[in-house]
Amino acid sequence: QVQLVECGGGSALDGGSVRLSCAASGYTYNRNCMAWFRQAPGKERERIALINQFGTTTYADSVTVRFTISRDNAKNTLYLQMNNLLPEDTAMYFCAAKPCANESYIYWGQGTQVTVS
């Protein structure tokens, strides 16, 4: 059974930092592409960062430079380091995974809330 479990969310001050983790189990983690999505109230879910099986990363314009996605294949864990947080970063954050050849993400975590004020 595939499981993605996020942790590390909470409250942060404007300009502060938060680190999210996503522990994966039940599939071949290091062969999959991983991503972080977020969804703010009243807004559509957006993909903000992704990392492929080789460690190549891509970021949304809204978070580039401030956020860093990384993965530890030995620990089957995905991370999102968020620096210089803004109130508009307030959202539910989700990790997701897919075989890199897939267009759609097929595995999702339950989400963790980040609130910036």
Side-chain angles (χ1 to χ4, degrees):
Q1 181 181 0
V2 175
Q3 280 194 314
L4 298 177
V5 180
E6 302 100 334
C7 64
S11 297
L13 296 176
D14 190 349
S17 297
V18 170
R19 188 193 196 202
L20 304 182
S21 299
C22 172
S25 61
Y27 71 103
T28 308
Y29 173 81
N30 61 354
R31 295 179 183 176
N32 279 258
C33 286
M34 305 288 297
W36 287 98
F37 289 74
R38 69 183 180 186
Q39 187 167 21
K43 295 188 177 181
E44 292 188 355
R45 185 171 57 193
E46 64 169 330
R47 189 185 69 196
I48 57 172
L50 69 91
I51 185 167
N52 69 11
Q53 71 270 45
F54 306 114
T56 302
T57 58
T58 304
Y59 298 93
D61 289 343
S62 57
V63 306
T64 190
V65 177
R66 300 187 299 119
F67 291 9
T68 301
I69 187 172
S70 61
R71 63 193 299 167
D72 185 333
N73 289 340
K75 296 182 178 179
N76 286 2
T77 301
L78 179 72
Y79 303 98
L80 184 68
Q81 177 67 44
M82 304 188 292
N83 298 328
N84 297 320
L85 284 164
L86 304 170
E88 49 263 46
D89 293 319
T90 295
M92 184 71 78
Y93 284 73
F94 302 87
C95 65
K98 68 180 180 82
C100 293
N102 275 29
E103 181 175 343
S104 300
Y105 286 83
I106 59 176
Y107 306 125
W108 291 86
Q110 81 287 352
T112 185
Q113 178 69 35
V114 174
T115 302
V116 184
S117 59

